[in-house]
Amino acid sequence: MSSPPDASPYLRAATAGLRHHARALTTGSPTARQAPGRSHLDALHAHLTALHQLLDQCAEQTRPPHPTAGRHLAAAHTRIWQATAEVHDAFHTLPTSPEASSTDCDPQALPEGPPVLTICQRHLAAGHRIRRRTTPTDLTRAS
């Protein structure tokens, strides 16, 4: 008997990639490890915003036939947004160079130059989507 086709091969691949990243950050001696840089946090933010969008779609499709499960997915959706916001804030607290520190959403301050879609543009787009479906009270209550 053959096994059913994998319903989420891309999600499994993304999960494996995240596990690889986590292992890579923890290898080596604790004194030799370096804190993740801005490019690492930018990539992590991209993963979180994609997961945020996926959870939104899952919650919307699950809610009509299974309201309780839909509410749980909606709560996860809100918490992922909160994690995304914290990663965005952490990105801006890291200095662009050893001498500089910037808290402004300035794509020119990125070490590799301004990408087509900066972390701030991505974050603003995700924020716009969540504010259409979530109240500020819900965002505060879920923390």
Side-chain angles (χ1 to χ4, degrees), residues 11 14 18 40-56 76-90 119 122-123 126-127 129-130:
L11 190 56
L18 289 172
H40 182 87
L41 292 182
D42 186 27
L44 182 58
H45 186 271
H47 281 287
L48 286 170
T49 54
L51 182 58
H52 177 259
Q53 199 168 12
L54 179 62
L55 274 169
D56 184 37
H77 170 258
T78 301
R79 287 184 177 90
I80 289 293
W81 167 251
Q82 292 167 336
T84 304
E86 294 298 331
V87 169
H88 176 257
D89 293 346
I119 187 173
R122 185 184 323 113
H123 193 71
R129 283 191 306 269
I130 196 168

Short mmCIF file of all heavy atoms in Angstrom, two decimals, residues 11 14 18 40-56 76-90 119 122-123 126-127 129-130:
data_model
loop_
_atom_site.label_atom_id
_atom_site.label_comp_id
_atom_site.label_asym_id
_atom_site.label_seq_id
_atom_site.Cartn_x
_atom_site.Cartn_y
_atom_site.Cartn_z
N LEU A 11 6.23 23.32 3.45
CA LEU A 11 6.25 23.64 4.87
C LEU A 11 7.26 22.77 5.60
O LEU A 11 8.00 23.24 6.46
CB LEU A 11 4.85 23.47 5.46
CG LEU A 11 4.63 23.98 6.87
CD1 LEU A 11 5.01 25.45 6.99
CD2 LEU A 11 3.18 23.78 7.27
N ALA A 14 10.71 24.16 4.80
CA ALA A 14 10.97 25.39 5.56
C ALA A 14 11.29 25.07 7.02
O ALA A 14 12.19 25.66 7.61
CB ALA A 14 9.77 26.32 5.47
N LEU A 18 14.74 25.92 9.09
CA LEU A 18 14.78 26.61 10.38
C LEU A 18 15.53 25.80 11.43
O LEU A 18 16.30 26.35 12.21
CB LEU A 18 13.36 26.93 10.86
CG LEU A 18 12.64 28.01 10.07
CD1 LEU A 18 11.18 28.10 10.50
CD2 LEU A 18 13.33 29.35 10.23
N HIS A 40 20.28 38.06 9.33
CA HIS A 40 19.64 36.89 9.93
C HIS A 40 18.25 37.26 10.43
O HIS A 40 17.29 36.51 10.21
CB HIS A 40 20.51 36.36 11.08
CG HIS A 40 19.97 35.15 11.72
ND1 HIS A 40 20.21 33.88 11.25
CD2 HIS A 40 19.16 35.00 12.79
CE1 HIS A 40 19.59 33.00 12.01
NE2 HIS A 40 18.94 33.66 12.95
N LEU A 41 18.13 38.38 11.12
CA LEU A 41 16.82 38.80 11.63
C LEU A 41 15.86 39.15 10.49
O LEU A 41 14.66 38.91 10.60
CB LEU A 41 16.97 39.97 12.60
CG LEU A 41 17.67 39.64 13.92
CD1 LEU A 41 17.71 40.86 14.81
CD2 LEU A 41 17.02 38.47 14.63
N ASP A 42 16.40 39.70 9.40
CA ASP A 42 15.56 39.99 8.24
C ASP A 42 14.98 38.70 7.67
O ASP A 42 13.79 38.61 7.36
CB ASP A 42 16.38 40.74 7.20
CG ASP A 42 15.55 41.21 6.01
OD1 ASP A 42 14.33 41.43 6.17
OD2 ASP A 42 16.12 41.36 4.93
N ALA A 43 15.81 37.68 7.55
CA ALA A 43 15.34 36.39 7.03
C ALA A 43 14.32 35.76 7.99
O ALA A 43 13.31 35.20 7.57
CB ALA A 43 16.51 35.45 6.81
N LEU A 44 14.58 35.85 9.30
CA LEU A 44 13.66 35.32 10.29
C LEU A 44 12.33 36.06 10.22
O LEU A 44 11.25 35.46 10.30
CB LEU A 44 14.26 35.42 11.69
CG LEU A 44 13.45 34.85 12.84
CD1 LEU A 44 13.14 33.38 12.62
CD2 LEU A 44 14.19 35.06 14.15
N HIS A 45 12.38 37.36 10.04
CA HIS A 45 11.16 38.17 9.92
C HIS A 45 10.37 37.73 8.69
O HIS A 45 9.14 37.65 8.73
CB HIS A 45 11.53 39.66 9.84
CG HIS A 45 10.35 40.57 9.86
ND1 HIS A 45 9.70 40.95 8.70
CD2 HIS A 45 9.71 41.18 10.88
CE1 HIS A 45 8.70 41.76 9.03
NE2 HIS A 45 8.69 41.91 10.34
N ALA A 46 11.06 37.45 7.60
CA ALA A 46 10.38 36.98 6.38
C ALA A 46 9.66 35.65 6.65
O ALA A 46 8.52 35.45 6.21
CB ALA A 46 11.37 36.83 5.23
N HIS A 47 10.31 34.75 7.38
CA HIS A 47 9.67 33.47 7.73
C HIS A 47 8.44 33.70 8.60
O HIS A 47 7.40 33.09 8.40
CB HIS A 47 10.65 32.55 8.46
CG HIS A 47 11.61 31.86 7.57
ND1 HIS A 47 11.27 30.82 6.74
CD2 HIS A 47 12.93 32.06 7.38
CE1 HIS A 47 12.32 30.42 6.07
NE2 HIS A 47 13.35 31.16 6.43
N LEU A 48 8.58 34.58 9.60
CA LEU A 48 7.46 34.83 10.50
C LEU A 48 6.28 35.47 9.78
O LEU A 48 5.13 35.11 10.05
CB LEU A 48 7.91 35.70 11.67
CG LEU A 48 8.76 35.01 12.73
CD1 LEU A 48 9.33 36.02 13.71
CD2 LEU A 48 7.97 33.94 13.45
N THR A 49 6.54 36.40 8.87
CA THR A 49 5.42 37.02 8.15
C THR A 49 4.75 36.01 7.23
O THR A 49 3.52 36.03 7.07
CB THR A 49 5.86 38.27 7.36
OG1 THR A 49 6.95 37.94 6.51
CG2 THR A 49 6.22 39.41 8.27
N ALA A 50 5.53 35.10 6.64
CA ALA A 50 4.92 34.05 5.80
C ALA A 50 4.08 33.11 6.66
O ALA A 50 2.97 32.71 6.27
CB ALA A 50 6.01 33.28 5.05
N LEU A 51 4.59 32.75 7.84
CA LEU A 51 3.84 31.90 8.76
C LEU A 51 2.58 32.61 9.24
O LEU A 51 1.51 32.00 9.36
CB LEU A 51 4.72 31.49 9.94
CG LEU A 51 4.10 30.57 10.97
CD1 LEU A 51 3.63 29.27 10.33
CD2 LEU A 51 5.09 30.29 12.09
N HIS A 52 2.68 33.90 9.48
CA HIS A 52 1.54 34.71 9.89
C HIS A 52 0.44 34.66 8.83
O HIS A 52 -0.73 34.45 9.14
CB HIS A 52 2.04 36.15 10.10
CG HIS A 52 0.98 37.11 10.44
ND1 HIS A 52 0.44 37.97 9.52
CD2 HIS A 52 0.35 37.37 11.61
CE1 HIS A 52 -0.47 38.71 10.10
NE2 HIS A 52 -0.55 38.36 11.37
N GLN A 53 0.82 34.80 7.58
CA GLN A 53 -0.14 34.75 6.49
C GLN A 53 -0.76 33.35 6.36
O GLN A 53 -1.97 33.21 6.15
CB GLN A 53 0.54 35.16 5.19
CG GLN A 53 -0.39 35.59 4.12
CD GLN A 53 0.37 36.25 2.97
OE1 GLN A 53 1.58 36.20 2.89
NE2 GLN A 53 -0.36 36.88 2.08
N LEU A 54 0.05 32.32 6.52
CA LEU A 54 -0.45 30.94 6.44
C LEU A 54 -1.44 30.66 7.58
O LEU A 54 -2.50 30.06 7.35
CB LEU A 54 0.72 29.95 6.50
CG LEU A 54 0.36 28.47 6.47
CD1 LEU A 54 -0.36 28.11 5.17
CD2 LEU A 54 1.61 27.64 6.64
N LEU A 55 -1.12 31.10 8.78
CA LEU A 55 -2.04 30.90 9.90
C LEU A 55 -3.35 31.65 9.70
O LEU A 55 -4.42 31.16 10.07
CB LEU A 55 -1.39 31.33 11.22
CG LEU A 55 -0.55 30.27 11.90
CD1 LEU A 55 0.24 30.88 13.05
CD2 LEU A 55 -1.40 29.13 12.40
N ASP A 56 -3.28 32.82 9.11
CA ASP A 56 -4.48 33.59 8.81
C ASP A 56 -5.39 32.81 7.87
O ASP A 56 -6.59 32.68 8.10
CB ASP A 56 -4.09 34.94 8.20
CG ASP A 56 -5.28 35.84 7.96
OD1 ASP A 56 -6.22 35.84 8.78
OD2 ASP A 56 -5.28 36.56 6.94
N ALA A 76 -3.15 31.84 17.64
CA ALA A 76 -1.77 31.60 17.18
C ALA A 76 -1.36 32.66 16.17
O ALA A 76 -0.22 33.16 16.20
CB ALA A 76 -1.65 30.20 16.58
N HIS A 77 -2.27 33.03 15.30
CA HIS A 77 -2.04 34.07 14.31
C HIS A 77 -1.64 35.39 15.00
O HIS A 77 -0.69 36.06 14.60
CB HIS A 77 -3.33 34.22 13.49
CG HIS A 77 -3.38 35.38 12.58
ND1 HIS A 77 -4.08 36.52 12.89
CD2 HIS A 77 -2.85 35.58 11.36
CE1 HIS A 77 -3.97 37.38 11.89
NE2 HIS A 77 -3.23 36.83 10.94
N THR A 78 -2.37 35.74 16.06
CA THR A 78 -2.08 36.97 16.80
C THR A 78 -0.72 36.89 17.48
O THR A 78 0.07 37.83 17.44
CB THR A 78 -3.18 37.22 17.84
OG1 THR A 78 -4.43 37.34 17.15
CG2 THR A 78 -2.91 38.49 18.63
N ARG A 79 -0.40 35.75 18.06
CA ARG A 79 0.89 35.61 18.76
C ARG A 79 2.06 35.63 17.78
O ARG A 79 3.13 36.16 18.09
CB ARG A 79 0.88 34.34 19.60
CG ARG A 79 0.00 34.52 20.83
CD ARG A 79 0.03 33.32 21.74
NE ARG A 79 -0.76 33.55 22.91
CZ ARG A 79 -2.06 33.26 23.02
NH1 ARG A 79 -2.69 32.71 22.00
NH2 ARG A 79 -2.71 33.50 24.13
N ILE A 80 1.87 35.07 16.60
CA ILE A 80 2.93 35.14 15.57
C ILE A 80 3.15 36.59 15.17
O ILE A 80 4.28 37.01 14.94
CB ILE A 80 2.59 34.25 14.35
CG1 ILE A 80 2.71 32.78 14.73
CG2 ILE A 80 3.47 34.58 13.16
CD1 ILE A 80 4.13 32.32 15.05
N TRP A 81 2.07 37.36 15.08
CA TRP A 81 2.22 38.78 14.77
C TRP A 81 3.06 39.48 15.85
O TRP A 81 3.93 40.30 15.55
CB TRP A 81 0.89 39.49 14.64
CG TRP A 81 1.06 40.97 14.64
CD1 TRP A 81 0.71 41.84 15.61
CD2 TRP A 81 1.70 41.75 13.62
NE1 TRP A 81 1.08 43.12 15.27
CE2 TRP A 81 1.70 43.09 14.05
CE3 TRP A 81 2.28 41.45 12.39
CZ2 TRP A 81 2.24 44.12 13.30
CZ3 TRP A 81 2.83 42.48 11.65
CH2 TRP A 81 2.80 43.79 12.10
N GLN A 82 2.79 39.16 17.11
CA GLN A 82 3.55 39.77 18.20
C GLN A 82 5.03 39.39 18.10
O GLN A 82 5.91 40.24 18.30
CB GLN A 82 2.97 39.36 19.55
CG GLN A 82 1.59 39.96 19.78
CD GLN A 82 0.87 39.33 20.95
OE1 GLN A 82 1.14 38.20 21.33
NE2 GLN A 82 -0.07 40.08 21.51
N ALA A 83 5.32 38.14 17.77
CA ALA A 83 6.72 37.72 17.59
C ALA A 83 7.35 38.45 16.41
O ALA A 83 8.51 38.89 16.48
CB ALA A 83 6.79 36.20 17.37
N THR A 84 6.60 38.63 15.34
CA THR A 84 7.10 39.35 14.17
C THR A 84 7.45 40.79 14.53
O THR A 84 8.49 41.31 14.11
CB THR A 84 6.05 39.30 13.04
OG1 THR A 84 5.73 37.95 12.75
CG2 THR A 84 6.53 39.99 11.79
N ALA A 85 6.60 41.42 15.31
CA ALA A 85 6.85 42.81 15.72
C ALA A 85 8.11 42.90 16.58
O ALA A 85 8.91 43.83 16.44
CB ALA A 85 5.65 43.35 16.48
N GLU A 86 8.32 41.92 17.46
CA GLU A 86 9.51 41.93 18.30
C GLU A 86 10.79 41.72 17.49
O GLU A 86 11.82 42.35 17.75
CB GLU A 86 9.40 40.87 19.40
CG GLU A 86 8.30 41.14 20.42
CD GLU A 86 8.50 42.42 21.20
OE1 GLU A 86 9.66 42.85 21.42
OE2 GLU A 86 7.49 43.02 21.60
N VAL A 87 10.73 40.85 16.48
CA VAL A 87 11.90 40.64 15.61
C VAL A 87 12.20 41.91 14.82
O VAL A 87 13.36 42.31 14.68
CB VAL A 87 11.69 39.42 14.67
CG1 VAL A 87 12.77 39.35 13.61
CG2 VAL A 87 11.68 38.13 15.49
N HIS A 88 11.16 42.59 14.35
CA HIS A 88 11.35 43.86 13.65
C HIS A 88 12.03 44.88 14.57
O HIS A 88 12.97 45.56 14.16
CB HIS A 88 10.00 44.38 13.15
CG HIS A 88 10.08 45.72 12.49
ND1 HIS A 88 9.68 46.87 13.12
CD2 HIS A 88 10.51 46.09 11.25
CE1 HIS A 88 9.87 47.89 12.30
NE2 HIS A 88 10.37 47.45 11.16
N ASP A 89 11.55 44.97 15.80
CA ASP A 89 12.16 45.91 16.76
C ASP A 89 13.61 45.53 17.05
O ASP A 89 14.48 46.40 17.15
CB ASP A 89 11.35 45.95 18.04
CG ASP A 89 9.97 46.57 17.84
OD1 ASP A 89 9.74 47.21 16.79
OD2 ASP A 89 9.12 46.41 18.74
N ALA A 90 13.87 44.23 17.20
CA ALA A 90 15.25 43.78 17.46
C ALA A 90 16.16 44.13 16.29
O ALA A 90 17.31 44.53 16.49
CB ALA A 90 15.27 42.27 17.72
N ILE A 119 12.65 45.06 5.33
CA ILE A 119 11.95 44.49 6.48
C ILE A 119 10.81 45.42 6.91
O ILE A 119 9.74 44.96 7.29
CB ILE A 119 12.93 44.20 7.64
CG1 ILE A 119 12.24 43.44 8.78
CG2 ILE A 119 13.59 45.47 8.13
CD1 ILE A 119 13.18 42.96 9.87
N ARG A 122 7.84 45.07 4.51
CA ARG A 122 7.18 43.79 4.78
C ARG A 122 6.38 43.88 6.07
O ARG A 122 5.25 43.40 6.15
CB ARG A 122 8.23 42.68 4.88
CG ARG A 122 7.65 41.31 5.04
CD ARG A 122 8.69 40.22 5.26
NE ARG A 122 9.92 40.37 4.52
CZ ARG A 122 11.11 40.61 5.10
NH1 ARG A 122 11.21 40.71 6.40
NH2 ARG A 122 12.20 40.71 4.37
N HIS A 123 6.97 44.51 7.07
CA HIS A 123 6.31 44.63 8.37
C HIS A 123 5.06 45.52 8.27
O HIS A 123 4.01 45.19 8.85
CB HIS A 123 7.29 45.19 9.40
CG HIS A 123 6.80 45.05 10.80
ND1 HIS A 123 6.72 43.84 11.45
CD2 HIS A 123 6.35 45.97 11.68
CE1 HIS A 123 6.25 44.02 12.66
NE2 HIS A 123 6.01 45.31 12.83
N ALA A 126 2.29 43.49 6.56
CA ALA A 126 1.72 42.50 7.48
C ALA A 126 0.87 43.20 8.54
O ALA A 126 -0.20 42.70 8.92
CB ALA A 126 2.83 41.68 8.14
N GLY A 127 1.33 44.34 9.02
CA GLY A 127 0.56 45.10 10.02
C GLY A 127 -0.77 45.57 9.46
O GLY A 127 -1.80 45.55 10.16
N ARG A 129 -2.51 44.03 7.16
CA ARG A 129 -3.39 42.85 7.08
C ARG A 129 -3.96 42.50 8.45
O ARG A 129 -5.15 42.19 8.57
CB ARG A 129 -2.63 41.66 6.51
CG ARG A 129 -2.44 41.71 5.02
CD ARG A 129 -1.92 40.40 4.46
NE ARG A 129 -0.71 39.92 5.08
CZ ARG A 129 0.52 40.21 4.68
NH1 ARG A 129 0.70 40.99 3.62
NH2 ARG A 129 1.57 39.73 5.30
N ILE A 130 -3.14 42.53 9.49
CA ILE A 130 -3.65 42.11 10.81
C ILE A 130 -4.61 43.14 11.38
O ILE A 130 -5.57 42.78 12.06
CB ILE A 130 -2.52 41.79 11.81
CG1 ILE A 130 -3.08 41.00 12.98
CG2 ILE A 130 -1.82 43.04 12.31
CD1 ILE A 130 -2.08 40.37 13.88
#
